[in-house]
């Protein structure tokens, strides 16, 4: 009887794993079908746009709008490069609606009073940067590439990611309970 239960448990575990793999594959296929591209494709597109626009004049319009190459440089977060310690695609200023700012250079977070300590990535492709603040508190910065959302598992009160999914953005773990989450998100506004 024990052998039968053991075999049944093993079979059940295999079925659960296969189902999870199939669901993940279907999710990836659905993302591809919906037009989501990988970060390396976005970087390649940004580089080719940069080379095309660098030959033409690279000025901002009279209305103060950014040029195509500036927009490509800002919306091109490459998670793979960041995980390897190259923050070049994140370099520059990130601001939220209250004009609070985060700054990054080629090697990481440079915001005064904040020190990045550990970087990881979750199963959805969201980067998790652990940060120690000047007052010795710890927080996590969720670095969310364009086209991805922050999983509802990160929210404790049934909220969901209401930020602009079309843009790269950063959320602080301190802000996840805020009712105005979209205003708390930091968006990449200037490239270094």
């Amino acid at each position: 009887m024990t052998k039968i239960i053991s075999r049944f448990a093993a079979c059940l575990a295999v079925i659960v794993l296969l189902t999870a793999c199939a669901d993940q594959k279907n999710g990836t296929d659905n993302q591809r079908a919906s037009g989501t591209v990988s970060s390396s494709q976005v970087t390649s597109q940004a580089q080719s746009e940069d080379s095309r626009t660098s030959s033409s004049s690279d000025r901002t319009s009279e209305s103060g709008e950014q040029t195509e190459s500036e927009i490509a440089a800002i919306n091109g977060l490459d998670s793979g490069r960041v995980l390897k310690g190259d923050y070049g695609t994140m370099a520059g200023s990130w601001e939220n609606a209250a004009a609070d700012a985060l700054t990054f250079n080629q090697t990481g977070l440079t915001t005064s009073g904040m020190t990045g300590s550990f970087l990881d990535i979750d199963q959805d492709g969201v980067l998790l940067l652990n940060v120690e603040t000047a007052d010795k508190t710890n927080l996590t910065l969720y670095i969310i590439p364009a086209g991805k959302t922050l999983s509802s598992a990160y929210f404790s009160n049934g909220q969901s990611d209401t930020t602009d999914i079309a843009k790269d953005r950063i959320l602080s773990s301190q802000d996840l309970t805020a009712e105005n989450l979209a205003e708390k998100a930091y968006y990449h506004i200037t490239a270094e």
Side-chain angles (χ1 to χ4, degrees), residues 111-124:
T111 305
S112 179
M114 299 179 95
T115 305
S117 61
F118 180 75
L119 179 67
D120 201 1
I121 190 166
D122 73 6
Q123 68 274 10
D124 297 321

Side-chain angles (χ1 to χ4, degrees), residues 142 150-160 173 175-178:
Y142 301 96
L150 188 61
S151 169
S152 59
Y154 290 108
F155 298 93
S156 61
N157 58 357
Q159 281 185 281
S160 62
S173 56
D175 296 329
L176 292 185
T177 58

Side-chain angles (χ1 to χ4, degrees), residues 37 95 109:
V37 293
E95 283 189 11
L109 181 66

